Amino acid sequence: MPTKVKPNLKISKQQPASNANGADAAGKTGETKTGETNGAHKAPAVLRDRIREGMPYPRGAAWDGKGTNFAVFSANAKKVELCIFNSEGAKETARIALPEYTDEIWHGYIPDIQPGTPYGYRVYGAYEPDAGHRFNPNKLLLDPYAGAHIGRLKWDPALFGYQMETGNDKTFDERDSAPFIPKCTVVDPSFDWAGERDRKALPWDNTIVYELHVRGYTMKHPDVPEELRGTYEGLARPEVLKYIKSLGVTAIELMPVHTFVSDKHVVDKGLTNYWGYNTIGFFAPDPRYAAQGADSLREFKEMVARIHDAGMEVILDVVYNHTAEGNELGPTLSFKGMDNASYYRLIPGEERHYINDTGTGNTLNFSHARVIQMVTDSLRYWVQQTRVDGFRFDLGTILARERNGGFDRESGFLKACRQDPLLQTVKLIAEPWDCGPGGYQVGAFPPGWAEWNDKFRNDARDFWRGELSARKLADRLCASEEFFNRSGRKPWASINFVTSHDGFTLNDVVSYNDKHNEANGEDNRDGSSDNRSWNCGAEGPTEDPGVVDLRKKQMRNLLATLLLSQGTPMILAGDEFARTQQGNNNAYCQDDEISWVDWSLRGKNDAQVRFVKQLAELRHKYPILRRNVFLNGQFVEDLGIRDVTWINDAGEQMSEENWNQPDLRCFGMLLDGRAPASGIRQRGHEATLFVVYNGKPDAADCHFPKCNGGGNWRLIVDTRADELPQFDPGPAGTKYQTAPRALAVFVLEGDAACTVEKAK
């Protein structure tokens, strides 16, 4: 529980006084506004007499067992006051100016301030929006480095630095925002990680990612006690993790868990920012996901430890591209009041306004050294303090934009990550696009980074709905070599997915032609209209058996394409049993049954769950499906091997004429297990697989390729039905009829691998 500072501290009133600029209580110095807050509190003598200089590092509130060091960055402030609150965070009990200013860091040390103590800051300086400065000490500010928060934000005009009712951000608001804003709390970072000492990172080439929402995943889970549903503790339940592990998953990617804010316009509609892409605290787990809100950090660590015990990794979806403070008409919650001109990218010559490459109103300033430091400090904090295994960076292109506005793969932030000895050891995944000019940068990130590959999503969907030829899909099956094979990058750099939190679920991809976002309150205008989906003959739910069977087969096709391709597969939680969002492809504001995983579907679609488990098992069993070198199809004369060979329906190597057929929808992919598994030029000793893709609406005959020393081909996957059809293993030349719109996989039996005879 939070600890009170001292039960006998007395509060004394302080009269408005002149500030460093000579401003009076009204805060006017020409056009500049500053000023003391109304009814400001002096620090009680017991604190004022004992405060020490402290240190400018580490940033934030650092407890050493005897007291707490407070340090906060602001290059343009004139004074910074630390505000201490009672254990509930409701009443300000003390206010004291940080006494030292070193290298643009304000700092001080106070004995007896213990973990659980709520606090915030008031920062004094110029209020000159045209110059980019928005200091207003009437606004209580969250510490950018706070390790935990208590309380919820309550939208009120007092949260705005200007007089919100006027709509004019050049006005100055004197209302106190403290009653409406959450409070930071001092944290005790200690935790027993005894079982983690010998844990090793799982290799990229054996990774299967499972994207889920902490709250939505367990809100309806029958094996999770009601009081724990939607929490870190609920996700850590053995029954939950055992199921996820059974899918073959190696890494759980959590949608944002950093403390975030629900946007005012969303709250005004009676909705909420469910996804959480609106961060206000880069070092704190959001307390709304904690069973015990005041103990959110410990509970988060416990969850990570239990996931590790289950043999899986934790990847955090992080939002460093913007904050919850919006543009010039947004609230003053933290960074804007700390040092607006340093933290945000402002339009040159029009510093009142923000560069908006994120589409959310503001953009974090990654050209500033202290901003880069804050973000890299945050990343290291989550690795060191909570033992997470990696990060997925929302709108990652923002991280590499410099002052000229362009994307630069040699940007300060990317170089900082590249040289960091700790960050080099964890998984870094970029969402390689944003809303700014030149924002689409798939394949452009530097070595060491993986990237979401939306080209895989688009082309896989298009092929199975009959809108794409085989040639383009073949590139995606080989980890999009044309984008990722440079600078020593590996196939795992391509994060392949067919669905994610953003867009349709897998069931909805095959059930809806159009989005149905009416519940979002924007007249279905929000969300993308380009979904590359196909409803298979009926829009939405239907009892037509033909449509239902086709939808199930299409889901199997997409899942098999995902899990049998080179690169790193990512599965959206619930897709394994056909979770639906009722056609909503932008459910960011739906904290209800639309977004929550419906576990009743697990039993109804158990066959699909078993199918996913089978695919994951094959991926782990056959290394040829997850090579650490790009497949290029070149014939190696001295070894007599071609790593991948594309096969036509006659069982022969595809000719250029075959490839150029615009309606080519059926082809085979031969993966030779004798190909070198690394840069060492020697034969491999892996199984050889033959995969047939038939995207045609009709059945198609395929013939097994002729092999040198090959044995019989045995069927191991066929998406035509829930169960494998009867098929006796056959030698080269044997015909196999693939079903309409179906995928089949065969393994070569015997010791000898095969090589397709060179086309005449």
Side-chain angles (χ1 to χ4, degrees):
M1 293 295 293
T3 305
K4 294 184 179 180
V5 182
K6 287 285 183 179
N8 60 349
L9 294 183
K10 294 183 179 179
I11 307 300
S12 59
K13 296 286 186 179
Q14 176 181 333
Q15 296 300 318
S18 296
N19 58 45
N21 288 335
D24 59 18
K28 295 184 179 180
T29 305
E31 294 300 316
T32 303
K33 296 180 180 180
T34 58
E36 299 288 349
T37 60
N38 294 329
H41 303 99
K42 277 187 178 179
V46 67
L47 289 184
R48 187 176 64 248
D49 294 345
R50 299 183 64 192
I51 190 168
R52 304 172 189 168
E53 294 84 351
M55 301 295 291
Y57 55 83
R59 232 75 76 226
W63 180 64
D64 62 5
K66 298 180 180 179
T68 301
N69 190 82
F70 294 89
V72 63
F73 160 74
S74 181
N76 295 294
K78 302 303 179 184
K79 182 172 73 170
V80 175
E81 287 182 336
L82 171 69
C83 302
I84 303 296
F85 289 80
N86 67 355
S87 60
E88 293 77 26
K91 182 179 181 181
E92 186 174 338
T93 60
R95 191 181 302 183
I96 185 169
L98 295 181
E100 287 294 332
Y101 184 57
T102 305
D103 297 333
E104 300 180 336
I105 307 297
W106 299 83
H107 56 95
Y109 178 91
I110 306 177
D112 299 327
I113 298 291
Q114 300 178 18
T117 301
Y119 72 98
Y121 288 107
R122 298 183 188 273
V123 180
Y124 297 77
Y127 188 85
E128 294 180 296
D130 286 334
H133 300 307
R134 295 180 179 272
F135 295 103
N136 186 337
N138 298 289
K139 310 306 164 185
L140 187 77
L141 305 178
L142 298 174
D143 182 355
Y145 276 70
H149 297 96
I150 60 169
R152 296 276 186 97
L153 183 136
K154 300 176 183 177
W155 282 105
D156 187 271
L159 292 170
F160 296 78
Y162 66 99
Q163 295 168 16
M164 189 269 287
E165 296 88 345
T166 69
N168 181 3
D169 65 295
K170 298 181 76 171
T171 60
F172 185 79
D173 189 80
E174 297 184 355
R175 288 169 288 193
D176 184 8
S177 68
F180 310 102
I181 194 167
K183 309 302 182 294
C184 310
T185 60
V186 180
V187 298
D188 178 358
S190 61
F191 187 82
D192 182 8
W193 293 99
E196 299 258 322
R197 293 191 179 94
D198 299 324
R199 194 179 63 85
K200 299 184 183 301
L202 297 173
W204 259 117
D205 58 351
N206 200 30
T207 296
I208 298 177
V209 179
Y210 190 68
E211 186 195 34
L212 62 80
H213 189 284
V214 169
R215 177 170 167 81
Y217 196 70
T218 62
M219 281 300 293
K220 301 184 72 175
H221 200 297
D223 296 328
V224 176
E226 283 197 34
E227 67 273 14
L228 299 182
R229 293 180 182 179
T231 68
Y232 305 122
E233 190 172 348
L235 182 59
R237 296 281 294 186
E239 302 90 340
V240 176
L241 298 182
K242 181 180 179 180
Y243 167 75
I244 298 175
K245 179 69 174 178
S246 76
L247 297 174
V249 168
T250 68
I252 297 175
E253 181 174 304
L254 303 178
M255 289 176 65
V257 296
H258 289 176
T259 300
F260 65 92
V261 170
S262 284
D263 322 60
K264 185 177 185 299
H265 75 277
V266 173
V267 173
D268 288 345
K269 291 189 294 184
L271 301 171
T272 187
N273 190 320
Y274 170 73
W275 284 356
Y277 292 92
N278 206 32
T279 306
I280 198 62
F282 297 125
F283 293 77
D286 197 293
R288 76 191 79 189
Y289 298 150
Q292 300 292 329
D295 212 11
S296 57
L297 180 59
R298 183 211 57 77
E299 191 174 321
F300 182 87
K301 291 180 178 181
E302 189 72 34
M303 177 195 68
V304 173
R306 298 293 74 78
I307 294 174
H308 287 168
D309 288 346
M312 295 179 288
E313 296 185 323
V314 179
I315 296 172
L316 299 186
D317 192 340
V318 288
V319 189
Y320 295 113
N321 56 79
H322 75 284
T323 78
E325 293 185 300
N327 61 14
E328 62 272 11
L329 297 180
T332 296
L333 308 175
S334 179
F335 311 91
K336 187 179 289 186
M338 284 286 181
D339 196 340
N340 185 67
S342 295
Y343 278 111
Y344 294 117
R345 290 196 186 280
L346 308 178
I347 297 177
E350 300 179 40
E351 284 77 10
R352 176 185 174 189
H353 302 291
Y354 297 76
I355 292 174
N356 185 22
D357 289 335
T358 64
T360 61
N362 65 54
T363 304
L364 216 57
N365 182 14
F366 276 89
S367 296
H368 196 290
R370 290 299 188 193
V371 175
I372 292 178
Q373 182 184 33
M374 177 185 69
V375 175
T376 52
D377 281 352
S378 170
L379 295 172
R380 285 188 292 267
Y381 175 86
W382 289 97
V383 175
Q384 292 173 320
Q385 285 295 327
T386 73
R387 305 291 180 92
V388 301
D389 305 280
F391 305 92
R392 179 265 187 189
F393 294 82
D394 181 62
L395 300 184
T397 301
I398 290 291
L399 313 178
R401 289 190 184 274
E402 288 291 6
R403 292 189 185 280
N404 62 8
F407 174 86
D408 184 354
R409 66 193 303 263
E410 294 296 328
S411 70
F413 175 75
L414 293 183
K415 286 192 288 189
C417 290
R418 192 172 177 181
Q419 62 78 44
D420 190 284
L422 181 62
L423 297 182
Q424 287 183 46
T425 67
V426 299
K427 293 177 169 68
L428 303 178
I429 304 170
E431 182 185 39
W433 50 78
D434 65 19
C435 300
Y440 189 75
Q441 294 292 335
V442 171
F445 276 71
W449 284 76
E451 303 172 36
W452 272 25
N453 185 0
D454 66 326
K455 295 180 183 295
F456 184 96
R457 175 197 63 196
N458 296 345
D459 290 349
R461 291 187 185 186
D462 280 347
F463 178 80
W464 287 112
R465 70 190 181 112
E467 299 291 333
L468 188 80
S469 69
R471 185 162 205 157
K472 202 159 190 178
L473 181 66
D475 294 334
R476 304 298 156 251
L477 302 178
C478 293
S480 301
E481 180 186 14
E482 70 272 36
F483 297 104
F484 294 101
N485 189 8
R486 57 174 178 75
S487 303
R489 299 182 80 183
K490 300 295 184 181
W492 54 255
S494 174
I495 304 294
N496 301 330
F497 63 102
V498 292
T499 55
S500 69
H501 69 274
D502 191 0
F504 281 149
T505 64
L506 183 63
N507 175 81
D508 293 359
V509 167
V510 301
S511 301
Y512 295 91
N513 285 345
D514 304 303
K515 63 184 180 180
H516 296 270
N517 298 353
E518 290 81 5
N520 296 354
E522 298 181 39
D523 297 323
N524 206 32
R525 293 189 301 268
D526 63 308
S528 174
S529 296
D530 181 20
N531 296 289
R532 290 175 158 86
S533 60
W534 176 42
N535 66 19
C536 297
E539 187 74 356
T542 181
E543 295 182 1
D544 184 314
V547 173
V548 171
D549 287 346
L550 178 56
R551 287 176 177 177
K552 290 181 178 179
K553 183 167 62 172
Q554 287 288 75
M555 284 191 279
R556 291 192 294 269
N557 287 333
L558 288 165
L559 287 166
T561 303
L562 173 64
L563 285 162
L564 301 179
S565 293
Q566 305 295 309
T568 303
M570 184 186 78
I571 304 169
L572 176 64
D575 274 356
E576 70 273 15
F577 50 74
R579 180 174 77 90
T580 179
Q581 290 181 169
Q582 304 166 34
N584 193 320
N585 73 351
N586 189 36
Y588 77 100
C589 56
Q590 299 297 329
D591 187 7
D592 53 30
E593 284 79 3
I594 291 176
S595 294
W596 299 342
V597 173
D598 182 358
W599 287 93
S600 70
L601 295 172
R602 177 180 169 185
K604 297 175 183 177
N605 298 305
D606 186 59
Q608 186 160 304
V609 176
R610 294 197 308 270
F611 183 70
V612 171
K613 291 180 180 180
Q614 178 192 9
L615 292 173
E617 182 180 352
L618 292 177
R619 185 175 183 87
H620 291 309
K621 180 179 180 179
Y622 296 119
I624 194 70
L625 294 172
R626 45 184 175 83
R627 301 300 293 273
N628 208 26
V629 291
F630 283 95
L631 305 178
N632 56 31
Q634 296 180 357
F635 188 76
V636 183
E637 293 286 350
D638 55 334
L639 298 179
I641 296 169
R642 194 188 307 272
D643 54 9
V644 61
T645 306
W646 304 101
I647 305 298
N648 62 22
D649 55 6
E652 298 174 347
Q653 182 179 343
M654 293 268 282
S655 66
E656 193 62 27
E657 182 180 355
N658 293 145
W659 279 123
N660 289 333
Q661 295 174 10
D663 59 346
L664 180 65
R665 298 285 188 273
C666 183
F667 67 101
M669 181 183 189
L670 178 64
L671 299 166
D672 194 331
R674 299 176 305 163
S678 68
I680 300 175
R681 202 177 182 83
Q682 64 183 24
R683 288 196 178 195
H685 302 281
E686 301 169 4
T688 291
L689 301 179
F690 180 48
V691 188
V692 180
Y693 298 84
N694 181 20
K696 298 193 300 183
D698 305 310
D701 291 338
C702 70
H703 293 79
F704 296 138
K706 298 178 181 179
C707 302
N708 295 330
N712 289 331
W713 291 100
R714 177 170 56 88
L715 180 67
I716 55 177
V717 173
D718 193 320
T719 63
R720 71 175 66 200
D722 292 337
E723 304 295 336
L724 281 180
Q726 291 295 321
F727 177 76
D728 295 328
T734 301
K735 182 177 70 173
Y736 183 82
Q737 187 178 68
T738 58
R741 294 193 174 94
L743 177 155
V745 184
F746 306 85
V747 61
L748 185 66
E749 294 185 319
D751 295 331
C754 74
T755 300
V756 173
E757 294 180 351
K758 298 179 69 174
K760 302 293 186 182

